[in-house]
Amino acid sequence: MLRAFRPSDGLLGNQEIAARTNLPKPTISRLTYTLTKLGYLTPVPRFEKYQLAPAAMALGYSALANMGVRHVSDPYRDQLMRETGGAVAIGARDRLSMIYFGQSRSELTVGVLLDVGSKVPIATTAMGRAYLWALPEDERANLMREIKEHAGANWPKVREGIERAGECVAKHGFAMSAGEWHSDIHAVGVALKLNDGTGPYAFNCGAPAFKFSEVLLKNDIGPRLVAMVRNIEIAMTGSVGRGPQTKENTSIKKIKTAGGKVTRVAEGIR
């Protein structure tokens, strides 16, 4: 239920929470009462609504404090932000979304207003697609089925974008999303897989479309992001792992292409 509160929300009432969680309103009333007693929600009687209390926010900050990759990546993200003028973030999966838990941006990154705690869809963003293609094949297939169910009639277009991203990861080591999430946002994404059982995580670098053309993404921003993630991997492990799937990497055998399309990802879900 705490997930129902978004970064842009101020107050939510029981009816709004019920609509977002698909839980019956009587159940929501009992839960809000309990969470208020536990100190995770603060009631605002004047409006008959609730807001997240400091105890709930402390849970999030405690989680962030335990994410070493966030702290290690800070200077690398900041450097890439200065070099490119794009916003650079790191995220992890939250159901069918990626949630930002580290963000580097400045007054130069006009038009990219996402911050820590923001969520972006896996299916249509560079960060999400990079994460998707970093998963083991069986996990990727399961997630694709969930995305298909959520996409409904829009699935063929969504699948095409994901397959195109898979080809880009295979060839260049990064995924792209050029206006497919928001028409005026272009970005690249690269996954990071560690050996400590966490992740995968994914980084992105994005900017308004007028600033990051598709050619610039492919020839400059993407390779820069790949290099940044590999440097972070070295900083955290002391060595470079297999990294993203590329033509030079033997793990490319897991991605089969036919007629210019990635076929294996869609097995059983076309």
Side-chain angles (χ1 to χ4, degrees):
M1 205 178 84
L2 295 175
R3 291 176 183 267
F5 289 83
R6 300 166 184 164
S8 59
D9 289 329
L11 306 174
L12 291 180
N14 285 341
Q15 186 171 345
E16 293 165 299
I17 297 173
R20 292 186 181 184
T21 60
N22 292 320
L23 292 173
K25 192 173 179 182
T27 301
I28 294 297
S29 297
R30 291 194 296 271
L31 290 174
T32 51
Y33 174 83
T34 300
L35 290 171
T36 297
K37 291 298 182 181
L38 293 173
Y40 293 112
L41 291 179
T42 299
V44 184
R46 178 182 176 186
F47 301 105
E48 297 184 346
K49 294 188 176 185
Y50 301 86
Q51 64 182 11
L52 288 178
M57 292 184 281
L59 291 175
Y61 284 112
S62 296
L64 288 177
N66 289 322
M67 285 184 169
V69 64
R70 175 176 181 259
H71 300 292
V72 172
S73 68
D74 276 345
Y76 297 93
R77 287 187 280 106
D78 290 347
Q79 180 180 349
L80 187 61
M81 173 199 68
R82 291 190 295 268
E83 292 175 350
T84 64
V88 185
I90 179 173
R93 182 185 174 186
D94 179 17
R95 293 174 289 183
L96 296 183
S97 300
M98 300 295 290
I99 184 168
Y100 282 21
F101 63 88
Q103 167 79 302
S104 297
R105 70 181 192 198
S106 70
E107 66 279 358
L108 298 177
T109 56
V110 177
V112 183
L113 302 179
L114 299 173
D115 209 337
V116 172
S118 296
K119 294 182 182 180
V120 298
I122 289 175
T124 55
T125 63
M127 174 185 282
R129 290 168 173 178
Y131 168 86
L132 183 63
W133 281 99
L135 292 173
E137 186 175 353
D138 57 339
E139 292 183 32
R140 183 168 63 247
N142 289 335
L143 180 51
M144 288 284 283
R145 279 189 282 271
E146 292 184 47
I147 293 173
K148 178 184 179 181
E149 182 178 352
H150 183 264
N154 200 40
W155 168 242
K157 182 178 179 180
V158 171
R159 184 188 65 205
E160 181 182 355
I162 291 173
E163 292 178 342
R164 189 166 55 248
E167 293 179 326
C168 192
V169 169
K171 187 174 182 180
H172 303 292
F174 57 85
M176 287 177 52
S177 176
E180 295 168 84
W181 172 48
H182 281 306
S183 60
D184 58 344
I185 298 295
H186 286 188
V188 289
V190 175
L192 172 64
K193 293 189 285 186
L194 301 174
N195 295 323
D196 60 1
T198 63
Y201 304 106
F203 293 83
N204 67 8
C205 182
F210 72 86
K211 187 165 188 172
F212 279 4
S213 67
E214 292 189 50
V215 172
L216 185 66
L217 287 177
K218 187 174 182 179
N219 295 332
D220 183 56
I221 308 300
R224 285 178 184 267
L225 187 63
V226 170
M228 184 200 80
V229 174
R230 298 288 73 78
N231 286 335
I232 292 171
E233 186 177 7
I234 292 172
M236 294 198 70
T237 66
S239 62
V240 179
R242 296 193 321 180
Q245 295 172 325
T246 64
K247 283 187 173 180
E248 291 74 26
N249 191 311
T250 55
S251 61
I252 183 61
K253 293 179 181 178
K254 293 183 178 180
I255 301 177
K256 296 181 180 179
T257 60
K261 293 291 184 181
V262 178
T263 57
R264 194 165 185 177
V265 64
E267 286 181 354
I269 54 173
R270 286 184 178 276

